[in-house]
Amino acid sequence: MAGLANAPSTMSIMEGTTGSIMIASSTDLWDWSAAPEGFPSLVTAECTQSVALTSDGQPFGGVGVCSMVDPDGDLAIYFGEITPQMEYIGSLTAGSGKYEPYIGQNFIGTVTGMLETGQQMYHVVAAD
């Protein structure tokens, strides 16, 4: 799956004395053209990330959640950890309809490009 994270629709920063936490939400576009039979080839998801940043602004961990309802009305919620290398290691934590058999399936997402606006391209593959 290839994904496009649009520029964040909301973003806030929680400042600490040794770093900060960036909280951002976006509507992402997912290209599922290689999805199993019966799955949509294109969906949107609402994604929110909380990323811990060092005092000089470098990411060192975080979490992310993406929630979606596809054109058939089936839903899926994905949760994962964001590594210092900006990988997203997660799993499908809840799903209905066609997604239900995939609950617990693990995946790895890698950011392949980012613009100053916060838009990102990423690629996701199954980890199992």
Side-chain angles (χ1 to χ4, degrees), residues 47-114:
C47 298
T48 301
Q49 295 85 33
S50 294
V51 179
L53 305 170
T54 63
S55 58
D56 61 352
Q58 296 302 308
F60 66 91
V63 295
V65 176
C66 290
S67 305
M68 50 127 342
V69 176
D70 75 13
D72 299 325
D74 295 335
L75 64 91
I77 300 173
Y78 300 88
F79 173 82
E81 289 186 43
I82 300 167
T83 71
Q85 296 77 33
M86 293 304 289
E87 287 184 322
Y88 188 78
I89 300 171
S91 66
L92 175 63
T93 58
S96 68
K98 67 181 85 57
Y99 303 100
E100 189 172 357
Y102 297 96
I103 293 172
Q105 182 176 0
N106 296 317
F107 63 87
I108 300 171
T110 305
V111 174
T112 58
M114 180 184 292

